[in-house]
Amino acid sequence: MSTKNLAHSNVIANNSMHSEYIHKNIGVIKVFGFWIYLMSDCILFATLFATYAVLVNGIADGPSGKDIFDLQFVLTETLLLLFSSITYSIVMLGINNGYKNQVQIFLAFTFIFGLGFIAMEIFEFHSLLAKGYGPDRSAFLSSLFTLVVTHGIHVSAGLIWIIIMIIQVMRSGLNPINQTRLTCLSLFWHFLDLVWICVFTIVYLLGFM
Amino acid sequence: MPDTTDHSGISHGSLKSNLIGLILSIILTVIPFAMVMRNTSSHAIIFIMVIVSAIIQIIVHLFYFLHINNLSEARWNLVTFLFTILIISIIIVGSIWIMYNLNINMIPSY
């Protein structure tokens, strides 16, 4: 065969192989796509952190970080989120082994820990608002609320997603589509814990010093 | 540490690697909190310890929970993550530097 024919038949072979490759690996491709989304979310949080860093000393006539942060409280919040990450790791191990009950139970545990985290955060911000220390009081408080609440909204969206996945697994079991979705949720959930490390370090710990 | 890969492309650790990650994370959380709350060292030392603990804990999370390593399955995840870190660095350092300079140089003279 001439090289031209060879190249042509290669192209044909590659076309059908290509769609077959996509079909077989759609899970991998979707998870990588979700990872790219998470990277853009990282940049979003980075801009919020940059804004906070610029405005942290703009306390106007309001309180500074030292006045309003309760570190014991934040430590408890942090450990709740950390434990929720671990329970989700056990969900992933359950998927690997095909243990549907393990997946459901530990999805529920993850939800409970995450809900505890959000409840504590709502309590903290409600008490700030009640004292008149809302996001309208000073630049510092404005950037604080924006950063922390954005993280909280992400966690809340994750909680809704967990509920949906519990229902989906109940109805359809651990099929490949649910496995892909649970993998994406795993990336999402661990990423939120990662962002929280930055939040409690830069906002609460450094703000208290 | 044993890693398994399934068809969703992300390698998953064993229970052991997740437990190691948890214990390291707890330690790296409690240390900075304790140092700030007790305030027994100098300001500079506490500052450095807090930052270093955060960086190490982030790496622990990436390695033990998100399984970002240089194996062939996760390599593009690592590449895109490093690129993101580059963009984040430019944004954060740039913002702080520029705004600090503006703050200093734009003091109005009444």
Side-chain angles (χ1 to χ4, degrees):
Chain A
M1 276 194 266
S2 74
T3 43
K4 197 161 124 194
N5 279 345
L6 213 57
H8 188 58
S9 60
N10 270 343
V11 167
I12 294 179
N14 279 338
N15 271 339
S16 62
M17 268 162 54
H18 198 59
S19 55
E20 202 185 301
Y21 171 85
I22 291 178
H23 191 72
K24 272 198 183 147
N25 292 284
I26 191 67
V28 179
I29 294 171
K30 282 183 180 174
V31 171
F32 182 64
F34 192 81
W35 175 258
I36 299 293
Y37 150 69
L38 281 183
M39 294 298 99
S40 76
D41 222 16
C42 274
I43 296 180
L44 186 94
F45 276 107
T47 62
L48 293 179
F49 273 108
T51 308
Y52 176 83
V54 167
L55 297 178
V56 67
N57 292 318
I59 57 178
D61 64 343
S64 71
K66 208 167 168 108
D67 303 324
I68 53 175
F69 293 154
D70 176 352
L71 288 192
Q72 193 79 22
F73 196 81
V74 176
L75 178 61
T76 310
E77 268 179 326
T78 307
L79 291 175
L80 279 177
L81 205 60
L82 185 59
F83 286 144
S84 77
S85 260
I86 276 297
T87 52
Y88 204 95
S89 296
I90 301 180
V91 169
M92 292 310 287
L93 291 172
I95 294 174
N96 278 352
N97 297 324
Y99 297 151
K100 193 169 128 178
N101 288 336
Q102 180 175 328
V103 167
Q104 297 288 57
I105 291 173
F106 280 90
L107 276 175
F109 278 138
T110 307
F111 181 83
I112 292 172
F113 281 128
L115 191 65
F117 173 85
I118 292 294
M120 288 185 75
E121 207 164 73
I122 292 179
F123 177 81
E124 181 192 356
F125 283 141
H126 175 76
S127 53
L128 280 179
L129 285 166
K131 282 187 250 174
Y133 299 155
D136 54 340
R137 183 66 179 271
S138 67
F140 156 68
L141 284 166
S142 186
S143 55
L144 171 78
F145 269 78
T146 307
L147 174 58
V148 180
V149 171
T150 301
H151 176 266
I153 293 176
H154 277 77
V155 175
S156 305
L159 290 178
I160 296 175
W161 191 356
I162 290 177
I163 296 295
I164 293 177
M165 287 322 298
I166 291 177
I167 297 173
Q168 287 290 330
V169 170
M170 209 185 314
R171 287 163 69 184
S172 318
L174 293 174
N175 58 20
I177 293 183
N178 281 343
Q179 287 188 37
T180 304
R181 290 171 179 170
L182 285 167
T183 306
C184 290
L185 179 51
S186 164
L187 294 181
F188 189 69
W189 200 258
H190 287 303
F191 156 81
L192 287 178
D193 201 20
L194 217 143
V195 172
W196 182 255
I197 297 174
C198 300
V199 170
F200 83 69
T201 301
I202 293 173
V203 173
Y204 290 102
L205 288 182
L206 293 186
F208 194 81
M209 282 171 59
Chain B
M1 144 217 15
D3 268 2
T4 57
T5 324
D6 64 13
H7 65 272
S8 65
I10 302 272
S11 62
H12 303 297
S14 57
L15 181 63
K16 192 175 108 182
S17 73
N18 282 310
L19 277 177
I20 296 177
L22 173 68
I23 305 224
L24 284 177
S25 295
I26 292 181
I27 296 175
L28 290 166
T29 301
V30 169
I31 288 183
F33 269 95
M35 288 188 78
V36 172
M37 286 162 83
R38 297 207 181 152
N39 208 13
T40 48
S41 318
S42 76
H43 189 272
I45 291 186
I46 299 181
F47 183 84
I48 293 176
M49 277 306 297
V50 163
I51 299 285
V52 165
S53 302
I55 294 178
I56 298 180
Q57 200 187 147
I58 289 175
I59 296 175
V60 164
H61 265 68
L62 285 171
F63 190 67
Y64 285 102
F65 297 145
L66 287 166
H67 308 289
I68 302 303
N69 48 39
N70 207 20
L71 299 179
S72 58
E73 299 88 30
R75 190 167 291 141
W76 277 110
N77 296 39
L78 178 63
V79 168
T80 52
F81 180 71
L82 290 175
F83 174 72
T84 307
I85 294 296
L86 172 67
I87 299 297
I88 288 176
S89 307
I90 294 173
I91 290 176
I92 291 188
V93 170
S95 297
I96 295 177
W97 184 14
I98 291 174
M99 294 311 293
Y100 176 77
N101 266 279
L102 286 179
N103 218 9
I104 297 288
N105 293 329
M106 302 286 185
I107 296 176
S109 50
Y110 291 122

